[in-house]
Amino acid sequence: MDLRVKRAPHIDTEITVPGDKSISHRAAIIAALSNGVCHIDGFLNADDCRRTLEALRSLGIRIDEPEPNTIVVHGKKRMLSPPAREIDCGNSATTMRLMAGLLAGQTFESRLVGDASLSKRPMDRVIAPLRRMGANIMAEGAEETAPLLIRGGSLRGIKYEIPVASAQVKSAILLAGLFAKGKTTVTEIAATRNHTELMLRYFFVRTTRGENGTVGIFGEQVPESRDFSIPGDLSSAAYWLTAAAAQPGGHLLVRNLGLNSTRTPVLGVLVRMGAQVREAVENVDQLEPRGVAEVTGAMLKGTVIQGKEVAQLIDELPVLAVAGALAHGTTIIRHAQELRVKETDRIAAIAHNLRAMGAQVIELNDGLEIHGPAPLRGSRVASFGDHRIAMAFAIAGLFAEGETIVQDAECIEISYPGFAKAIEEFISPKHAQASTRVIGSLSLSPMAE
């Protein structure tokens, strides 16, 4: 499927975005381990998250879907059943890595497989700690890649320092720690998303938080069943927030948005680049803060993104690179070598597509140097089968002269069903649904700094 994009007129609107992808995976898994029935609203009904649902069903968990974005998970007190066949994770590295942690503590054998892209992604980072805990895991692919054959067993708690900042690896170890004897602690070299820790705490699992980024969990606990509502995904909202930020005078408000502090650094980058950004937390009842984010656009200026903040911006870097091409001056992204091992080599993909649209880009080993502002021209650009590359360059198309065609854009369904319809509403606002209202005056928190 090709996605065709044209220059957007003045942006002045209000939207919501689908449920948070990271939280959806974790809520389903922890609910499945709980001691009862859990109603989860706002679940992201996208391919990646559905892979996690089907994986749990194959392990004997009943999951009802009374409405498109609501699931009812019948927890089985950590008692899972052997799968009748291999578990297909599709393109979802989150599914594969988190399920590896879950399956490491089972008494049966299981096999995790994925598509061609997932089968190239590194799994040694999760295999190594799980082996140390006592699991028998064999990577059937070259260089410790999928498929993964897991023979679970009796696990023991460990102390582990993660060599590469990864919320997925941290989460896999914590999930395995639920089945281990003693305490499992994980230390991060840079802070990553903390959704798993918050979710475990919400389900009354005893965890600890120490200095220097250390998270601990005590083994052999059963989560208490609870209902949960998932907020909108800030990584999905980042595409529209960036578009509004890069359009002088553009104005966008996103409601019911997850505002977890490990996810909001993208707003800080937009502020550094010159946009006006406000956020207001409206609800913290379920540990995941949610509220509204508002952006007023400006002529952006280049910035430097590097160091520890990169770990919390990894999903937003493709669209921030597009913002860099539209900004005055130079934008430098460093210490982002993790982009090389995503669904595609995102550093190479970003550089390739920006050049195709007329931007000046230098590709670095661990990032990019982007010289702006570039008068972007409409072009035919590749998605490389990567949903975040496809969406980032659809946003670039909103600022390009002529038509931009994003090829093989069906991969967007992995994380953002409805993206194509949403971008059409930005291109042709007269066709927007009545529920998408023009922003009025709002009383929000002071501008982010």
Side-chain angles (χ1 to χ4, degrees), residues 167-216:
Q168 293 175 5
V169 173
K170 175 179 63 176
S171 299
I173 298 170
L174 292 175
L175 289 172
L178 267 183
F179 296 87
K181 292 185 182 297
K183 183 181 180 182
T184 298
T185 59
V186 181
T187 301
E188 299 183 279
I189 59 172
T192 61
R193 298 176 182 183
N194 64 355
H195 300 304
T196 300
E197 302 98 291
L198 292 180
M199 188 72 61
L200 288 167
R201 219 176 302 158
Y202 179 75
F203 281 81
F204 297 114
V205 173
R206 186 182 172 202
T207 60
T208 61
R209 183 79 189 183
E211 296 179 357
N212 302 321
T214 297
V215 182

Side-chain angles (χ1 to χ4, degrees), residues 40-362:
I40 300 173
D41 295 319
F43 185 84
L44 177 62
N45 195 17
D47 187 70
D48 268 16
C49 296
R50 295 207 62 81
R51 296 290 180 171
T52 291
L53 293 188
E54 293 309 314
L56 293 170
R57 284 174 169 140
S58 73
L59 297 170
I61 302 299
R62 175 183 164 189
I63 302 175
D64 303 324
E65 299 183 59
E67 296 177 18
N69 300 109
T70 299
I71 61 172
V72 181
V73 183
H74 298 256
K76 291 184 65 177
K77 301 180 181 179
R78 295 196 297 120
M79 301 295 293
L80 303 177
S81 304
R85 60 188 64 85
E86 63 189 18
I87 296 172
D88 188 352
C89 302
N91 188 252
S92 178
T94 305
T95 301
M96 181 167 284
R97 290 177 178 142
L98 268 58
M99 293 306 299
L102 186 67
L103 293 168
Q106 308 308 311
T107 58
F108 49 76
E109 181 176 290
S110 50
R111 188 169 182 262
L112 299 174
V113 301
D115 65 10
S117 171
L118 181 54
S119 297
K120 295 177 182 177
R121 297 183 66 178
M123 292 295 151
D124 53 334
R125 56 186 59 179
V126 72
I127 291 171
L130 295 177
R131 281 176 176 164
R132 278 187 54 186
M133 296 179 77
N136 185 345
I137 304 180
M138 183 177 72
E140 299 176 11
E143 300 181 3
E144 297 283 273
T145 54
L148 304 182
L149 183 64
I150 303 174
R151 297 182 180 92
S154 178
L155 302 184
R156 59 185 178 274
I158 61 170
K159 294 180 179 180
Y160 191 76
E161 183 172 335
I162 303 177
V164 177
S166 170
Q168 293 175 5
V169 173
K170 175 179 63 176
S171 299
I173 298 170
L174 292 175
L175 289 172
L178 267 183
F179 296 87
K181 292 185 182 297
K183 183 181 180 182
T184 298
T185 59
V186 181
T187 301
E188 299 183 279
I189 59 172
T192 61
R193 298 176 182 183
N194 64 355
H195 300 304
T196 300
E197 302 98 291
L198 292 180
M199 188 72 61
L200 288 167
R201 219 176 302 158
Y202 179 75
F203 281 81
F204 297 114
V205 173
R206 186 182 172 202
T207 60
T208 61
R209 183 79 189 183
E211 296 179 357
N212 302 321
T214 297
V215 182
I217 186 170
F218 295 89
E220 302 180 302
Q221 298 184 75
V222 176
E224 294 283 339
S225 61
R226 298 190 73 182
D227 297 342
F228 191 78
S229 177
I230 296 170
D233 194 321
L234 183 51
S235 294
S236 295
Y239 299 100
W240 315 120
L241 293 168
T242 300
Q247 187 186 80
H251 200 192
L252 176 70
L253 183 133
V254 187
R255 291 195 180 276
N256 190 36
L257 187 63
L259 293 173
N260 182 305
S261 62
T262 65
R263 302 289 293 280
T264 54
V266 63
L267 302 179
V269 174
L270 294 178
V271 169
R272 290 205 309 260
M273 297 183 79
Q276 295 181 4
V277 180
R278 293 182 175 89
E279 59 179 291
V281 174
E282 298 176 330
N283 188 326
V284 293
D285 290 348
Q286 298 190 325
L287 289 179
E288 286 288 353
R290 70 187 69 207
V292 297
E294 183 185 33
V295 168
T296 300
M299 186 63 240
L300 300 182
K301 58 181 182 291
T303 189
V304 177
I305 302 170
Q306 63 183 352
K308 291 188 175 182
E309 73 173 342
V310 168
Q312 296 180 353
L313 288 167
I314 203 71
D315 286 341
E316 293 78 45
L317 289 177
V319 76
L320 290 175
V322 170
L326 298 169
H328 277 284
T330 301
T331 293
I332 298 174
I333 299 172
R334 298 299 304 268
H335 309 128
Q337 56 269 25
E338 184 68 9
L339 290 178
R340 297 278 189 192
V341 292
K342 290 294 186 178
E343 284 83 342
T344 189
D345 180 340
R346 286 182 180 166
I347 292 175
I350 292 166
H352 180 276
N353 283 352
L354 282 179
R355 288 181 186 128
M357 296 185 76
Q360 291 185 312
V361 186
I362 298 172

